Amino acid sequence: SNSAKAGAMLVIKVFFLLTIISVNGQPNVGYNGSVYNSLESCKNAIVIQENIMAERMEQLTKQAYWLKSYCLEFNRFPVDTPT
């Protein structure tokens, strides 16, 4: 179906994005994926997580630390749970 193809294309695009931004000889690019039930809950979590990580890294390295997070909204496949 068209929605399955669109979902597969999004996964492929994200994979290539991560590949492109991970270049040898450059500072490391980290990736940590999370799943949220809504775009709003994702955006709220980003603020908290970015602040915690930036503070933690600054304490450990004594250097400024740059962190940017994004919410990618997409349709997910239904998950059957055992009853």
Side-chain angles (χ1 to χ4, degrees):
S1 74
N2 286 339
S3 63
K5 288 180 185 176
M9 288 303 296
L10 179 62
V11 170
I12 291 169
K13 288 178 185 178
V14 170
F15 172 77
F16 281 118
L17 173 65
L18 293 172
T19 303
I20 289 170
I21 60 178
S22 300
V23 179
N24 288 334
Q26 298 297 318
N28 292 338
V29 175
Y31 168 76
N32 185 12
S34 300
V35 178
Y36 297 94
N37 289 329
S38 69
L39 188 58
E40 183 179 333
S41 63
C42 176
K43 289 179 179 181
N44 291 336
I46 279 178
V47 173
I48 295 167
Q49 291 173 359
E50 284 184 351
N51 289 338
I52 290 171
M53 286 301 297
E55 185 177 309
R56 184 177 298 157
M57 291 305 296
E58 192 171 332
Q59 288 173 351
L60 291 173
T61 63
K62 304 296 184 216
Q63 297 176 356
Y65 186 81
W66 186 78
L67 175 70
K68 182 64 183 162
S69 302
Y70 297 95
C71 293
L72 300 175
E73 187 174 24
F74 60 92
N75 295 326
R76 61 184 172 180
F77 296 101
V79 177
D80 293 329
T81 55
T83 55

